[in-house]
Amino acid sequence: MTDKAFRFGVVSAPQEGGARWLATARRAEELGYSTLLCPDNLNLPTPTAALAAAAAATTELRVGSFVLASPLRTARAAAWEAHSLTTVTDGRFELGLGTGLPTMRQQAEELGLPYGSGQDRLDSISETIDHVRRLDGDAHTPVMVAAGGPKARRLAGKKADIVALAGGALTTREELAGHAREIREAAGDRDVELSLNIWVVGEQVPPWIRGFIGVDAETLIEHDSLAIVRGGVDAMAEELERRREELGVSYFSVNGAFIEEFAPLVERLTGK
């Protein structure tokens, strides 16, 4: 499905102070992860500051937003932050963009910004990409778009460098394969990297993750969910190879709670 080599990111947030965050960044680099990805939420430190600090504490680790929510910034402000990070990290920043969760309506109001319709939020993503391309000049900030719906998939295929398949925890393989086809069709001759986030490694779902995705391990396993990988290293490696073959996904991110458990896969598959 794709000849792109595997690479891996870890999704984490600086919730326990700066020292712990920088230790996470250094550990991610030590374990061979390509990217440290930071979520966007008013209840967390801004990704701009967190990712700049992580990049400064490492030498090769890429950093990225996962993902900047369009309701929380104007398109021009998001592009300003993105280009600034590309500049101060010497090109190690990846801009992730998304339309935001419904729960961010109140957060947008706190900032004095409209939450907007779905189309408004997609338009903001498109405008952000345009602004970034203008600001970058000879540089190039890789842009990831989290694409959950058909309009987002079409936009991502046309404009993004990386597209995160953003289905729910119980979205089937067949459905995600269809989503991937839509993205590739929209991309045409453009070379787009497909990404998928893994919430759980093993057969235990931490309570806070269960609260976020809304299902337990038994349900994930019963539905052959792509939000989980389990078994020994051989079995998990075979599963990721299957996902690359069937879906075209070569870039996998994993929840930071499983940074160590996932590391053997990073060591085995990176660059292959």
Side-chain angles (χ1 to χ4, degrees), residues 201-246:
V201 179
E203 300 191 4
Q204 299 295 322
V205 181
W208 71 269
I209 292 181
R210 178 175 177 178
F212 194 87
I213 64 176
V215 291
D216 56 20
E218 291 76 13
T219 303
L220 293 174
I221 293 168
E222 179 184 352
H223 286 80
D224 189 28
S225 171
L226 299 187
I228 185 173
V229 291
R230 61 196 182 96
V233 175
D234 290 344
M236 290 191 291
E238 289 174 6
E239 172 59 24
L240 295 190
E241 289 170 342
R242 177 185 177 188
R243 296 182 189 186
R244 182 170 64 175
E245 175 63 27
E246 294 180 351

Side-chain angles (χ1 to χ4, degrees), residues 86 223 236 258 268:
T86 292
H223 286 80
M236 290 191 291
F258 299 100
R268 176 176 295 196

Side-chain angles (χ1 to χ4, degrees), residues 39-74:
D40 186 31
N41 189 304
L42 284 191
N43 299 316
L44 298 170
T46 172
T48 305
L51 295 173
T58 55
T59 57
E60 297 182 359
L61 184 72
R62 301 186 65 78
V63 295
S65 52
F66 195 77
V67 290
L68 291 190
S70 61
L72 302 187
R73 295 164 191 79
T74 65

